[in-house]
Amino acid sequence: MASITLKINNKNYTVDADPKMPLLWAIRDLVGLTGTKYGCGISQCGACTVHLDGTPVRSCSLPVSTVGNKSITTIEGLSADNSHPVQQAWIQEQVPQCGYCQSGQIMAATALLKKMPNPTDKDIDAAMQGHICRCGTYPRIRKAIKTASVLMSQKASIK
Amino acid sequence: METITKNISRRNFIRYSGLSGAALTLGFYLPASGKNPGEELMSGSSAEAQGIDLNAWISIDTSGKVTITNHRAEMGQGSFQSVPQIIAEELEVNLDQVSIVFAQGNGKKYGSQITGGSSTIRGNYKKLLKLSATAREMLMEAAATQWGVPRAECYAENGLVIHKGSGRKLGYGDLALAASKLEVPKDVRLKSPGEYKVIRKPMARQDTPLKTNGAAIFGLDKKLPGMLYAVIERSPRFLGKVKSYDGAETMKVPGVKHVIKVNRDVFGNMFEGVAVVATNTWAAMQGRKVLKVEWDDAGFSYNSTEQLYTKMKEQVKGDIISFKTKGNFNTAFTKAEKKLEALYETPYESHSCMEPLNCIANVTTDACEVWGPIQGPDWIQQSLSNHLKLPMEKVAVNMTFLGGGFGRKAFTDYPYEAAMISREIKAPVQVVWTREDDTSMGPFRPGMVYQCKGSLSKDGRIAAFESRAAGQNMNQQNPNADKSGYNGSDTEGFLEPYFESIPHYSFGDAPLDSTVPVMWWRSVYASTNGFAFESFLDEMASEAGKDPLDFRRSHLGNPRYQELINKLEEVSGWKKRGKNEGYGVAITECFTSIVGEVVKVSKKPDGKVKIDKVWAVMDCGWYVNPDIIRAQVEGSIVMALGAATKHAIHFADGKAVEKNFNSYQMPRMTDIPEIDVHVMDNEEKAGGVGEPGLPPFTPALTNAIFDLTGKRIRVLPFVLEEV
């Protein structure tokens, strides 16, 4: 067991954890932020996706000891009031059904749009292929990413 | 009505209804005997006077806030939106005045709460309409009395009662207390669909914002003070027993608190395993890795896929138990000139909800409380009451949001495990199934084999049709079950008018005896029957030299079906299809909704088949929210696509082979074709929405592949790239 400090959504949390514990379980069981989901434990489904210094990672397969002082962003850190354009787009296109995988989907889409503000269908395929949705919301996810892209460019032009 | 003399104080009533500050409360009282559940509408104050523990379906507080208690689960299918939409319509309130809470499990109060059979709306919409219209009438009556005007001069709108002549207004909050003292009116007038302002509108779901910022609490997210986490090493062979176990290494893992033997009740069969209980999920998983268990498999059959399917293929050729017949199939078939037969195979499947199974239980000496992703809270209450020998009212079952259900979470085994562990360790505990457990432990959708036979008349119509099914009957798994009966679902998926137009038919099955646990999977037997029936109809159309859509049309005289076919033909451009395009159609009926789908396929430059587009026409009769229907049909198509082309559960050496998404492969973003869903508008009775879109997809796809390539696919799953 080791005392580990995690910087999550701009707040520091110190937890006593087995260094091998995946970041996912530290976030969920030790820190108590439950928006990040367990889906498969082997980086196959993407439900556990969080950002590490802005890059999407599978928290189920990342030992908590390797995070260091990198900044972690979870779905709760995107915005609590759903004001982020990707969240707005998800609501506008009525993407979620059960909603369980959507935290991971949204984190992946957010990272994609940061890198590529106007993604093509192929870009969306590549970024989202690692994410499973058993409810089958894929067509709406694709649509929402395009909507988010428009919302973000509108926001940028207002600025 | 039953008279109960016990007096319950106001304080107690509020506690029972769980809604403090509620002024007007309306619900259905389920009498102990006599009337059917939900027939008697009652107000909270009347229930209080009689000491009845009323189910508070709607409550209006003195601020005008409306609270709806949803007795069904929200697992993605949209009951959290469609139920309030119904209430808002007849109650004349805005949706933002309405909030919704989950009911606890209580079959006595709510009738069946099992969210299955696509039944939430079709089973309850009339009750919900009546309930909200009655509340509105009572509020109007209260206002009219206060103003001293005839009620006919008043109307309700946006949570207000308005007097037409004077324009005076009173909010529901100001009227709720007075309304609660009025007698509940009988036979209130309901709106005709033409008057709807809220129902039939594609309104945004109110649970969506909770699912885009991490706020929605699923079962796995629920935490109790002092709660421990358990994972269970279950016998990999079904019905295997624990011979011995050694938890010494496990107990050395930091955080591990207990290692105990635990049972799992699956339709009356006791499965065995060893639970590792720890202070966090990861520690429990680590402890399980070093747990040593010796299993006793003696006396149990070693299932393998090959052995199961060999047996089923024998069975369809042997004696079957007849379910439904007309005319004389054998005679008609024997003497027919034009006849054909085909064998179809569908695989075992895991539900694989994105949220793996989990449940929290807190069992004390005289009570049990459960929280989890639960489709059937009333059934779980009953089951735990029996197993723990506790009275029903001492078993509280709480529903969280469900991360998918598909039928799997309508079962009692995982809450049972949690309760058994909690009772033993005397602490609240959350049982967590790993993805591997969830994929490989069942119950599964049963694998099926169908032999279809049919003959054609000289003018190319169906003269005789037979379906002989072999597969496990999910109702015959209890060790004491009568295994001589037919499977009542032998015709599920078949369109009703065919029973009129086909002169000779025969449906029956031979149940497969196996220790593999099986259960309902989204759209149940229609999901496999539909493939056999609609594939074979296509083969018959082809044999008759008829267009597949026209062939079906000529056998479905009923105008409702004709309209659906016309719509399908129109939206899919069926008649205008191009030369190098394969089009396939299938139409099935499931939970009283009819769905037709057309799939378009073509070849990629490398010659491999790809799916270009799917058109779906859903006729679910009376409906609430077209966007939720479209979402459910889209999702059903994707789920069917997975079962047709991506995944199957196989068995070897008595164990399930596939364990996680690396071998049990799901459809992903690049697998999904364009999907175009249309909803029929009519005044038929409400049908199901969550499941009926699934069965027609697969046969429409394989029929399209036949249209393009001339190749019939009769065994599922198949690899699209290898066609």
Side-chain angles (χ1 to χ4, degrees), chain A residues 28-29 37 82 94 129 138, chain B residues 205 212 220-221 281 667 670:
Chain A
R28 288 184 52 84
D29 289 357
K37 304 301 185 197
N82 280 308
Q94 288 288 293
Q129 189 68 355
Y138 300 109
Chain B
R205 289 173 60 149
T212 52
L220 209 58
D221 305 332
T281 319
T670 52

Side-chain angles (χ1 to χ4, degrees), chain B residues 398-689:
Chain B
N398 305 285
M399 290 185 276
T400 62
F401 279 112
L402 283 74
F406 314 121
R408 178 62 183 91
K409 290 172 181 164
F411 197 44
T412 57
D413 59 337
Y414 58 108
Y416 171 78
E417 286 179 337
M420 291 301 120
I421 298 170
S422 174
R423 182 171 67 172
E424 183 137 350
I425 67 168
K426 299 184 171 56
V429 68
Q430 180 177 54
V431 165
V432 179
W433 288 45
T434 63
R435 174 57 59 196
E436 287 79 6
D437 300 332
D438 191 278
T439 308
S440 64
M441 285 290 128
F444 305 96
R445 181 181 83 171
M448 301 292 292
V449 172
Y450 298 85
Q451 188 181 51
C452 293
K453 294 183 185 181
S455 65
L456 292 159
S457 65
K458 285 201 176 68
D459 59 348
R461 292 179 59 81
I462 305 170
F465 181 97
E466 182 182 53
S467 165
R468 304 161 69 83
Q472 287 179 250
N473 183 332
M474 45 188 90
N475 298 320
Q476 296 180 352
Q477 296 181 83
N478 189 290
N480 304 317
D482 171 13
K483 298 190 179 183
S484 62
Y486 52 70
N487 185 334
S489 301
D490 281 340
T491 58
E492 225 168 77
F494 207 55
L495 301 180
E496 278 297 316
Y498 286 133
F499 294 120
E500 295 281 321
S501 61
I502 300 174
H504 304 277
Y505 61 72
S506 159
F507 290 83
D509 72 283
L512 173 70
D513 197 18
S514 163
T515 54
V516 176
V518 294
M519 72 183 299
W520 41 91
W521 186 96
R522 197 175 193 174
S523 76
V524 199
Y525 284 103
S527 75
T528 51
N529 291 355
F531 174 62
F533 299 161
E534 279 296 285
S535 294
F536 194 66
L537 278 167
D538 217 68
E539 299 207 28
M540 293 185 87
S542 176
E543 185 69 26
K546 298 268 167 91
D547 173 85
L549 201 62
D550 285 337
F551 183 73
R552 287 170 174 82
R553 180 167 14 223
S554 70
H555 288 88
L556 300 168
N558 182 316
R560 190 177 175 188
Y561 295 76
Q562 293 286 323
E563 278 164 31
L564 182 125
I565 291 173
N566 293 343
K567 183 81 178 173
L568 197 54
E569 187 174 61
E570 175 206 321
V571 299
S572 68
W574 179 268
K575 280 184 177 153
K576 290 177 263 168
R577 60 191 194 268
K579 223 182 167 190
N580 296 315
E581 298 168 344
Y583 270 59
V585 63
I587 309 166
T588 60
E589 195 160 332
C590 168
F591 301 127
T592 71
S593 289
I594 311 152
V595 184
E597 289 171 16
V598 166
V599 174
K600 178 190 166 195
V601 296
S602 65
K603 280 186 181 167
K604 293 191 276 192
D606 63 3
K608 288 174 181 166
V609 172
K610 67 176 170 56
I611 308 171
D612 296 316
K613 189 161 179 178
V614 186
W615 293 268
V617 178
M618 156 72 92
D619 180 353
C620 56
W622 189 94
Y623 66 87
V624 183
N625 186 320
D627 192 54
I628 291 178
I629 298 171
R630 284 194 287 269
Q632 286 305 300
V633 175
E634 288 161 11
S636 295
I637 287 169
V638 173
M639 195 156 175
L641 175 71
T645 66
K646 293 284 169 186
H647 51 72
I649 293 289
H650 296 88
F651 303 99
D653 191 28
K655 306 169 194 171
V657 174
E658 290 77 12
K659 296 206 155 42
N660 204 322
F661 294 132
N662 52 354
S663 51
Y664 196 68
Q665 301 252 352
M666 289 286 131
R668 291 172 186 269
M669 187 60 98
T670 52
D671 299 308
I672 311 304
E674 191 186 337
I675 302 171
D676 183 15
V677 183
H678 298 262
V679 182
M680 297 298 285
D681 256 310
N682 60 41
E683 302 314 324
E684 302 284 346
K685 262 171 63 180
V689 164

Side-chain angles (χ1 to χ4, degrees), chain A residues 21-22 28-29 34 37-40 42 44 75 80 82 87 94 97-98 100 129-130 132 134-135 138 140, chain B residues 75-76 205 209 211-213 218 220-221 281-282 350-351 354 434-435 627 631-632 634-635 660 667-668 670:
Chain A
M21 179 187 278
R28 288 184 52 84
D29 289 357
T34 56
K37 304 301 185 197
Y38 165 65
C40 69
I42 56 166
Q44 286 285 315
I75 185 74
N82 280 308
Q87 293 170 316
Q94 288 288 293
Q97 289 182 29
C98 88
Y100 191 80
Q129 189 68 355
I132 296 172
R134 188 63 161 150
C135 299
Y138 300 109
R140 290 177 186 229
Chain B
M75 51 193 188
R205 289 173 60 149
K211 295 172 174 178
T212 52
N213 66 0
F218 296 88
L220 209 58
D221 305 332
T281 319
W282 172 250
S350 155
H351 300 73
M354 285 312 293
T434 63
R435 174 57 59 196
D627 192 54
Q632 286 305 300
E634 288 161 11
N660 204 322
R668 291 172 186 269
T670 52

